[in-house]
């Protein structure tokens, strides 16, 4: 094995972290508002693909899959690894099938293929970091890199927004906030899961939390506070809380509109809350639910990645001289899945995601899952491109299948 191969196997996860947390492509310009960010995402989607992103992930995918099979690593992982991985990849298969009813099948195929590459690359990168014992070093290097680029952005005078909120090298303070929240949870979860002896762990954790507070991102601050609170509660109570939160979200955002629609008395949360609820989300949700009913899409959806981020602006958002034509997200992960797959398939997908986490027996990992569920009430960040919340889910998934007791067969751990 040459030096480049050894480096990628050992530190490929570090490279992935650099990309997913925005460190590889830092934004050192003046910061955007949330609406400007929606507009920028729409323009990027219309303009085409990101070549750097494609090359990076395609190269990592080819390298890891080749290493996994050609070097015989596939013989060294447990049955649990294959069962859970195949279950997770069922979601990609469902996404591909949605091309049959999408008006943009090429977008469905492209985005589903990216998810296959993204999921496989993260899981295999985690595996190689695990067996090469570089997982601890990879997360530490990520934290140091994040702190360094944040300091650079501040020194350059572009780290803060006009209202003195820390945006660092992200597009805006909310993006900086959720990335910091995920980094804090990842840092803490890896230490707890593998008993890593991070140097200056408490000091670094405090520094990351201070930066989070400086973002003034209320949602992200709440999520981290919630995470640490739940992490110190008995496992059975955390599990019960997670199930209640998830069941409530499924009932409110998915079952309520579906059942009321079937009973010819269509009702949804968009009618329940004020239009200005959660910075205008009530207004957006109401339009989206009305769209699903008007075009009779409650049972099928539009296909994976076929509503937002396509060449045509959604019908009810295509209003001249209005800000709503720049909306490029449902700002709710459950509704976003609903738009793409319809009610029944969305519920099945959520059930599969939950089944993939079967066997978790630690409060901090379940607390991390709770954060993912809660965040998806306000943002569409789950099973969507390379968002940090989606990365967090895949990291918790990887932790669940790569433990010394369960997921590596006895014998040599080398590649």
């Amino acid at each position: 094995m040459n030096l480049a191969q050894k480096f990628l196997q050992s530190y490929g996860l570090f490279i992935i972290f650099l990309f997913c947390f925005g460190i590889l492509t830092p934004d050192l310009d003046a910061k955007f508002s949330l609406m400007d960010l929606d507009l920028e995402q729409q323009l990027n989607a219309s303009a085409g693909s990101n070549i750097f992103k494609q090359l990076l992930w395609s190269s990592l995918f080819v390298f890891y899959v080749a290493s996994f099979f050609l070097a015989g690593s596939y013989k060294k992982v447990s049955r649990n690894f294959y069962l859970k991985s195949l279950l997770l990849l069922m979601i990609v298969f469902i996404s591909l099938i949605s091309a049959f009813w999408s008006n943009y099948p090429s977008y469905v195929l492209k985005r589903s293929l990216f998810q296959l590459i993204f999921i496989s690359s993260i899981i295999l990168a985690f595996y190689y970091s695990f067996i090469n014992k570089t997982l601890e070093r990879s997360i530490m290097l990520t934290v140091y890199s994040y702190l360094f680029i944040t300091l650079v952005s501040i020194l350059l005078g572009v780290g803060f927004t006009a209202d003195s909120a820390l945006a660092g090298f992200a597009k805006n303070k909310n993006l900086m906030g959720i990335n910091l929240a995920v980094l804090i949870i990842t840092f803490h979860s890896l230490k707890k899961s593998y008993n890593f002896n991070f140097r200056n762990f408490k000091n670094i954790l405090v520094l990351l939390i201070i930066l989070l507070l400086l973002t003034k991102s209320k949602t992200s601050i709440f999520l981290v506070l919630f995470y640490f609170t739940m992490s110190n509660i008995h496992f059975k109570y955390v599990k019960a809380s997670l199930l209640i939160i998830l069941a409530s979200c499924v009932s409110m955002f998915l079952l309520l509109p579906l059942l009321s629609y079937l009973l010819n008395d269509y009702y949804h949360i968009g009618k329940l809350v004020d239009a200005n609820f959660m910075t205008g989300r009530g207004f957006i949700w109401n339009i989206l639910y009305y769209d699903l009913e008007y075009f009779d899409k409650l049972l099928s959806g539009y296909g994976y990645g076929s509503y937002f981020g396509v060449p045509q602006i959604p019908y009810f958002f295509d209003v001249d001289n209005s800000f709503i034509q720049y909306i490029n997200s449902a700002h709710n992960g459950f509704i976003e899945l609903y738009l793409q797959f319809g009610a029944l398939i969305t519920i099945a997908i959520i059930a599969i995601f939950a089944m993939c986490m079967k066997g978790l027996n630690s409060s901090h990992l379940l607390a991390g899952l709770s954060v993912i569920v809660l965040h998806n009430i306000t943002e569409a960040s789950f099973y969507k491109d390379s968002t940090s919340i989606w990365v967090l889910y895949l990291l918790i998934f990887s932790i669940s299948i790569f433990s010394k007791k369960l997921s590596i067969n006895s014998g040599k751990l080398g590649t």
Side-chain angles (χ1 to χ4, degrees), residues 289-304:
Y289 278 118
Y290 181 72
D291 182 294
L292 287 167
E293 179 196 26
Y294 186 86
F295 290 107
D296 197 23
K297 293 290 186 178
L298 272 91
L299 296 179
S300 66
Y302 286 88
Y304 181 61

Side-chain angles (χ1 to χ4, degrees), residues 185 226-227 242 245-246 353-354 356-358 360 363-376 382 392-394 396-397:
I185 293 169
F226 179 85
Y227 168 79
L242 173 58
I245 294 170
L246 182 59
F353 280 128
C356 287
M357 293 301 173
K358 185 179 180 181
L360 287 181
S363 295
H364 65 277
L365 293 180
L366 289 185
L369 291 179
S370 300
V371 164
I372 293 171
V373 175
L374 287 172
H375 186 262
N376 273 272
F382 191 73
L392 178 60
Y393 176 88
L394 293 176
I396 295 175
F397 174 85

Side-chain angles (χ1 to χ4, degrees), residues 248-285:
S248 299
C249 289
V250 170
S251 299
M252 178 62 70
F253 296 111
L254 304 176
L255 287 178
L256 174 62
L258 173 63
L259 294 177
S260 63
Y261 174 76
L262 295 176
L263 294 172
N264 295 316
D265 187 21
Y266 189 49
Y267 197 76
H268 51 76
I269 192 171
K271 293 182 178 180
L272 184 63
V273 300
D274 183 80
N276 294 320
F277 177 71
M278 297 182 71
T279 322
R281 283 173 174 80
F283 175 71
I284 297 170
W285 297 347

